[in-house]
Amino acid sequence: MDSWRRRTKRSRAWKTLLHQLREALRSKDGPMKVATTRFAVRAKRPNVEQTRDYVHGGLLSEINDISGSQEALKPTNSLCRGNNFTASEETKSDLQQDIAIKKKEYPD
């Protein structure tokens, strides 16, 4: 029973971490959309070749930074998903064993 509690606690911890990672990824979507929209609007201006200034570089840097942080979070997210699945399977197996034992002890 103690191992079941540990696995349940571990499973909850993985689920919490997975939720936090998903929220972190979602929180990057808004700023990315704003930066790419601003960059696209600047690109459509007349005489676009003259807009390669400090702001242009800043937008490119911002887009690259956000994209980099999203890419850094994705492997961690998939790792947590895999670990959460493994923990869930272990908990499911433990529960099935407990149910089988109780069915043997208390037949209908």
Side-chain angles (χ1 to χ4, degrees), residues 67-89:
S67 178
S69 65
Q70 284 178 326
E71 291 302 316
L73 288 172
K74 285 180 183 177
T76 308
N77 191 17
S78 62
L79 175 68
C80 283
R81 246 187 261 157
N83 285 337
N84 187 32
F85 178 75
T86 303
S88 295
E89 287 297 312

Side-chain angles (χ1 to χ4, degrees), residues 35-105:
T36 54
T37 301
R38 288 175 55 207
F39 187 77
V41 167
R42 282 182 63 82
K44 292 180 183 177
R45 288 182 178 175
N47 298 322
V48 72
E49 64 278 352
Q50 296 175 2
T51 62
R52 300 206 190 286
D53 55 1
Y54 177 75
V55 176
H56 179 85
L59 284 171
L60 275 176
S61 175
E62 184 178 354
I63 290 169
N64 288 335
D65 289 346
I66 294 171
S67 178
S69 65
Q70 284 178 326
E71 291 302 316
L73 288 172
K74 285 180 183 177
T76 308
N77 191 17
S78 62
L79 175 68
C80 283
R81 246 187 261 157
N83 285 337
N84 187 32
F85 178 75
T86 303
S88 295
E89 287 297 312
E90 288 174 354
T91 304
K92 179 182 174 185
S93 174
D94 286 347
L95 287 172
Q96 287 172 341
Q97 288 174 358
D98 288 345
I99 290 169
I101 291 170
K102 288 180 182 183
K103 280 184 178 179
K104 287 179 184 176
E105 290 177 5

Side-chain angles (χ1 to χ4, degrees), residues 4-62:
W4 179 79
R5 284 190 181 124
R6 273 186 274 135
R7 286 184 181 161
T8 303
K9 188 176 181 179
R10 188 174 16 151
S11 178
R12 270 191 237 130
W14 281 113
K15 286 179 184 178
T16 302
L17 182 59
L18 184 59
H19 176 71
Q20 290 171 347
L21 284 169
R22 284 181 184 156
E23 287 301 313
L25 278 169
R26 274 191 215 121
S27 72
K28 306 284 183 197
D29 287 342
M32 180 61 115
K33 288 178 184 177
V34 170
T36 54
T37 301
R38 288 175 55 207
F39 187 77
V41 167
R42 282 182 63 82
K44 292 180 183 177
R45 288 182 178 175
N47 298 322
V48 72
E49 64 278 352
Q50 296 175 2
T51 62
R52 300 206 190 286
D53 55 1
Y54 177 75
V55 176
H56 179 85
L59 284 171
L60 275 176
S61 175
E62 184 178 354

